[in-house]
Amino acid sequence: MHVKGIVLKARVRFVEERGGDEAGRRFLEAVAPETRRLIEDRLLPNSWYPFAAMIDMSETIDRLLGKGDLELCHELGRYACDSNLPTVYKIFFRFADVFYIIRHAAAAWGVNYDEGTMTVVEEGDHTVTLRMEVPIQHRAHCLAVRGWIVRAGELSGAKDVRVEERCRLRGDEHCEFVLRWRDK
């Protein structure tokens, strides 16, 4: 499984913005040598990189800037949603409803991942359920996707956005995110 460089670049920017130059130096020293080489060779936004590099970066960021419990990965997902969406899309988000935004975000899964799917499996009154099917599962990834989904809902103007997560890593049948919100 591979991810686009834009996903990895958001993690590097997160470290730089949250921790400054010193955190950036410590981050480069702490990631695996193969991840360090990718970063130092200049990550290209539209190139494919190993999923393992994203996990390495996420775990390292959580150890250095978080509590080491992977919960900071939720914030990484929120940050990626904000930093990777061009301003024109953010404006568009404000005028579209949550269902439209989430449906299109799910359909665009293949823009950032070369394997797996994200599909809307159920819609209800102020609720939508997304199912993520991936060949490689990791808790850091699930938390980042959860954060991205919450932020996408917020950018579309929804209030009190919450997500209930079901995860195969925790024994659930599927990896699903049940998003709930109040109207604008």
Side-chain angles (χ1 to χ4, degrees), residues 77-88:
R78 291 177 58 83
Y79 179 86
C81 185
D82 276 325
S83 69
N84 291 344
L85 285 175
T87 303
V88 69

Side-chain angles (χ1 to χ4, degrees), residues 11 14 54-63 65-80 138-148:
R11 280 153 176 76
F14 183 90
M54 181 189 71
I55 297 305
D56 180 32
M57 293 170 84
S58 300
E59 290 178 329
T60 302
I61 292 167
D62 185 70
R63 276 193 318 276
L65 300 176
K67 297 177 183 173
D69 59 1
L70 296 181
E71 283 300 317
L72 189 61
C73 294
H74 176 90
E75 191 61 33
L76 285 172
R78 291 177 58 83
Y79 179 86
H138 195 283
R139 189 74 188 128
H141 182 237
C142 293
L143 291 167
V145 170
R146 181 181 80 187
W148 197 100

Side-chain angles (χ1 to χ4, degrees), residues 131-133 137 166-176:
R131 180 172 296 158
M132 179 176 69
E133 306 269 356
Q137 295 179 311
R166 300 175 191 135
C167 185
R168 289 179 52 205
L169 292 171
R170 296 186 305 187
D172 293 312
E173 185 176 351
H174 299 284
C175 288
E176 294 181 335

